[in-house]
Amino acid sequence: MRFWTARRRDQLAGYLFIAPQLAGTVVFVLVPLVLVAWYSLHEWNVLADEFNFVGGDNYRQLADDPNLPKVLAATGLFSAGLLVLNLSLALLLAVLLNQKLRGTVVFRTLFFSPVVVSMIAWTIVWGFLLQDNGGVNGLLDAVGVHGPNWLRGDATAMVSVIVVQVVKNVGLNMVLFLAALQGVPAGLYEAARLDGASAWRSFRSITVPMISPTILLTSIITVVGSLQVFAQIAVLTQGGPGTSTTVLVYYLYQQAFQFHHFGYGATLSLVLFAIVLVLTTVQWQMRKRWVFHES
């Protein structure tokens, strides 16, 4: 029996096609993850050139860190606010722009354009706009309203960061929803109208179930992206006032690169990885309950 059969040649061709992606995953995902786990068991003082094994001390520090509960709360608030506002606004825009009206192409381009703008440039511009004497308060003053210092108020800083992020990225989810809406068969809506269903009932019973796979995709993308936010916090608020906008990624950066606690920073990164993994797994498992045609 020959070893080099057609089946083995096909298998080799398949492995060669996935080899670049597999190599990239190993080099840029698995190896760094193993190294981070190794660093979390050490205390690395770069300035003194010391790399000492401390075992589980960094993990015990998690339980004793008084700032960690506040950081996790800020992270949860940011993720929840971003998820609700982004998905609801993106779906609303997609439904409106799915109508066959003049000028919809212009509005689609207008709403999507912030997605392709540099994140740093976008954040810097909004930093000027949200200052005490910035453009937003200037518009409010024109109508007789005295606006707060948006980025320095305990009640407004987190809201401001969420809104800036929503406006920046809502166009991406809008395009995904728009593509999904255009794939819904028009005959379903015609049948619903013949049965006397209202527009809201058609939306609930036809639109939402038919685009539920896209809702799942956008929710996963939005949640994972919200847990990785850094540039907006670093430029707009630097985690302040206090720790009200200090999300986990920014706290990790502070511990590792500002305070030079690289071992503890590596431990926090594993916490972030665990949170992302758990939330993504939960969302993926929930698809069986609310995604149309999933079983």
Side-chain angles (χ1 to χ4, degrees):
M1 182 177 179
R2 292 190 308 165
F3 175 80
W4 200 244
T5 61
R7 179 179 179 181
R8 293 183 184 274
R9 287 197 299 270
D10 290 340
Q11 289 176 341
L12 177 61
Y15 288 131
L16 289 176
F17 275 116
I18 68 172
Q21 178 66 31
L22 183 61
T25 301
V26 171
V27 173
F28 297 109
V29 178
L30 298 181
V31 171
L33 188 61
V34 172
L35 289 176
V36 166
W38 175 250
Y39 292 150
S40 70
L41 302 175
H42 296 76
E43 185 53 50
W44 186 5
N45 190 328
V46 177
L47 299 178
D49 194 21
E50 295 180 353
F51 189 70
N52 301 316
F53 181 79
V54 295
D57 288 355
N58 289 322
Y59 293 91
R60 284 188 286 270
Q61 186 178 346
L62 288 174
D64 299 330
D65 190 344
N67 292 321
L68 189 58
K70 302 176 184 178
V71 170
L72 293 177
T75 304
L77 178 61
F78 179 84
S79 298
L82 187 64
L83 179 66
V84 173
L85 287 179
N86 196 320
L87 264 63
S88 58
L89 182 58
L91 183 55
L92 174 62
L93 292 173
V95 171
L96 293 176
L97 295 178
N98 193 41
Q99 309 301 315
K100 295 181 180 180
L101 301 174
R102 294 181 61 182
T104 54
V105 175
V106 176
F107 283 102
R108 291 176 189 177
T109 305
L110 180 64
F111 288 122
F112 184 77
S113 57
V115 177
V116 299
V117 175
S118 167
M119 175 61 72
I120 298 299
W122 176 266
T123 308
I124 291 175
V125 170
W126 274 98
F128 284 111
L129 292 175
L130 293 172
Q131 287 180 356
D132 192 20
N133 57 348
V136 173
N137 282 345
L139 292 175
L140 293 177
D141 288 338
V143 295
V145 177
H146 179 68
N149 191 343
W150 297 94
L151 299 176
R152 295 294 176 263
D154 291 334
T156 58
M158 179 61 78
V159 175
S160 300
V161 175
I162 292 174
V163 170
V164 170
Q165 182 69 4
V166 167
V167 177
K168 174 72 171 66
N169 289 331
V170 70
L172 178 60
N173 286 342
M174 179 199 72
V175 169
L176 295 175
F177 282 137
L178 191 58
L181 288 172
Q182 292 177 351
V184 179
L188 296 178
Y189 294 111
E190 182 65 27
R193 281 193 295 269
L194 293 175
D195 288 340
S198 63
W200 173 244
R201 180 59 186 271
S202 297
F203 178 78
R204 288 193 300 111
S205 301
I206 299 176
T207 304
V208 172
M210 293 300 292
I211 69 170
S212 55
T214 304
I215 296 176
L216 173 67
L217 171 65
T218 53
S219 65
I220 292 176
I221 292 175
T222 304
V223 169
V224 172
S226 69
L227 293 171
Q228 298 175 345
V229 64
F230 173 78
Q232 301 88 321
I233 302 297
V235 174
L236 291 176
T237 64
Q238 296 80 48
T243 58
S244 61
T245 59
T246 302
V247 294
L248 187 54
V249 172
Y250 190 75
Y251 189 59
L252 185 161
Y253 160 79
Q254 286 180 319
Q255 292 295 323
F257 298 102
Q258 290 186 350
F259 308 145
H260 302 291
H261 299 158
F262 287 99
Y264 189 53
T267 306
L268 290 171
S269 67
L270 289 178
V271 173
L272 176 62
F273 172 77
I275 293 174
V276 171
L277 180 63
V278 169
L279 290 179
T280 304
T281 303
V282 169
Q283 288 179 289
W284 184 250
Q285 291 301 320
M286 287 177 61
R287 80 191 192 281
K288 299 178 181 179
R289 308 185 68 178
W290 58 276
V291 173
F292 189 61
H293 282 329
E294 284 284 349
S295 59

